Amino acid sequence: MGTLGFLSEWRFEEYKRAFREVYMSGAGVGDRAPVLEASRCTVPNDQTDAGTGPTGWSSVRGKSMGLSRGARILMRNRLKVGLFTSDGQPVQQDQNSTPVQGTLSSQGVYVMNEVLLHRGKEPHLAVVDVYVGGRFLTEAVADGIIISTPTGSTAYSLSSGGSIVHPLVPSVLLTPICARSLSFRPLVLPSSTPITLRLSEKNRGRELEMSIDGVNVGQGMTVGMEVRVWNEEMRHGKNEWQGGVPCVMRRIRGGEAHDGWVGGLNGLLKFNYPFGEEP
């Protein structure tokens, strides 16, 4: 949920009302409707409202707002990341490490916010070769490198000087952490651009550490190993989206889907707030 809660415009204590609004709106009628109906858990009879079924809302599904009025959904794209050895073989996750979503392999692990490659406990700056779209870009000498989605642009990438990117912009962010060169600036690239980070032979430390969405992978990155990052493909089928993470948006009278994001900039991040004034 994060410290600021900028990712989700819903406060956690509102989850019952949020779910009820989506359920009563009729959203998901089609391929997803049977999933809602079939996945309801069984509860004792004295906890079930008469005539409404286990969820308590079955009899009013879609009737409050109409079957044609679905909840507003913002699709957030993700990245996929894989760790490979110097000879191009995928590295399997260490069994003693903290589990992440999936396995570090050629299939990749899903990334919602960012991939972080950093020097960890090593005192020396990391030396990393950066490849963009299969072409060599630069030899980065820095505390680390962040590859971020637009959703993660307001997280660690923002603290490291990266741009704020709207979640509807199909892009990927490449942000250095405390780069030695003053000319190495954060980049915003097309979402279809694959990025590879390879630990250089010039690196003075033993290995680099890697984390995904704030979770340490546990598998150190030694000289010659590389991290490959590519975009998750999102496709819109007849009644469903494939790929991405659907986020339910608040309904604002006369507002559009991006209003909550703009409100988050002003209300949570205090965007461009004057110094010396009380918020």
Side-chain angles (χ1 to χ4, degrees), residues 38-94:
S39 61
R40 298 177 303 183
C41 60
T42 303
V43 296
N45 292 333
D46 57 356
Q47 297 181 18
T48 304
D49 297 339
T52 60
T55 63
W57 300 321
S58 298
S59 64
V60 296
R61 174 172 171 76
K63 293 183 179 180
S64 175
M65 303 178 185
L67 291 174
S68 61
R69 183 180 175 184
R72 294 188 309 160
I73 300 295
L74 172 64
M75 296 299 299
R76 295 178 180 267
N77 74 297
R78 298 179 294 185
L79 298 174
K80 299 184 76 174
V81 57
L83 183 61
F84 295 82
T85 61
S86 57
D87 57 358
Q89 297 300 314
V91 176
Q92 299 298 323
Q93 184 180 346
D94 189 344

Side-chain angles (χ1 to χ4, degrees), residues 129-141:
D129 294 330
V130 181
Y131 295 82
V132 173
R135 300 185 61 181
F136 177 74
L137 173 68
T138 186
E139 179 186 78
V141 182

Side-chain angles (χ1 to χ4, degrees), residues 17-238:
R17 183 171 66 85
F19 181 80
R20 182 168 60 249
E21 179 177 326
V22 176
Y23 192 79
M24 293 177 66
S25 73
V29 174
D31 288 357
R32 294 191 179 186
V35 177
L36 268 177
E37 298 294 339
S39 61
R40 298 177 303 183
C41 60
T42 303
V43 296
N45 292 333
D46 57 356
Q47 297 181 18
T48 304
D49 297 339
T52 60
T55 63
W57 300 321
S58 298
S59 64
V60 296
R61 174 172 171 76
K63 293 183 179 180
S64 175
M65 303 178 185
L67 291 174
S68 61
R69 183 180 175 184
R72 294 188 309 160
I73 300 295
L74 172 64
M75 296 299 299
R76 295 178 180 267
N77 74 297
R78 298 179 294 185
L79 298 174
K80 299 184 76 174
V81 57
L83 183 61
F84 295 82
T85 61
S86 57
D87 57 358
Q89 297 300 314
V91 176
Q92 299 298 323
Q93 184 180 346
D94 189 344
Q95 295 181 354
N96 297 324
S97 63
T98 304
V100 294
Q101 182 184 2
T103 303
L104 285 176
S105 65
S106 58
Q107 300 300 317
V109 174
Y110 290 114
V111 179
M112 185 69 178
N113 287 311
E114 76 276 311
V115 179
L116 170 61
L117 192 63
H118 59 101
R119 62 189 178 97
K121 297 178 291 185
E122 296 291 338
H124 307 291
L125 294 175
V127 183
V128 180
D129 294 330
V130 181
Y131 295 82
V132 173
R135 300 185 61 181
F136 177 74
L137 173 68
T138 186
E139 179 186 78
V141 182
D143 278 349
I145 301 288
I146 302 170
I147 302 178
S148 169
T149 65
T151 295
S153 68
T154 54
Y156 196 178
S157 177
L158 178 63
S159 301
S160 300
S163 299
I164 297 176
V165 180
H166 194 284
L168 291 180
V169 178
S171 58
V172 57
L173 290 74
L174 178 63
T175 308
I177 305 173
C178 298
R180 184 180 65 180
S181 173
L182 298 179
S183 62
F184 189 2
R185 298 301 183 184
L187 301 177
V188 179
L189 304 168
S191 60
S192 59
T193 306
I195 299 175
T196 298
L197 304 178
R198 180 181 300 163
L199 186 56
S200 171
E201 295 182 356
K202 300 178 183 178
N203 191 71
R204 296 175 64 188
R206 183 176 59 181
E207 62 181 21
L208 299 185
E209 294 183 12
M210 175 177 156
S211 64
I212 298 174
D213 287 341
V215 178
N216 197 338
V217 173
Q219 174 67 54
M221 185 175 175
T222 57
V223 172
M225 294 178 64
E226 60 185 35
V227 176
R228 301 176 188 175
V229 181
W230 63 99
N231 189 55
E232 177 194 24
E233 183 180 2
M234 290 200 306
R235 298 191 303 274
H236 186 213
K238 183 177 180 181

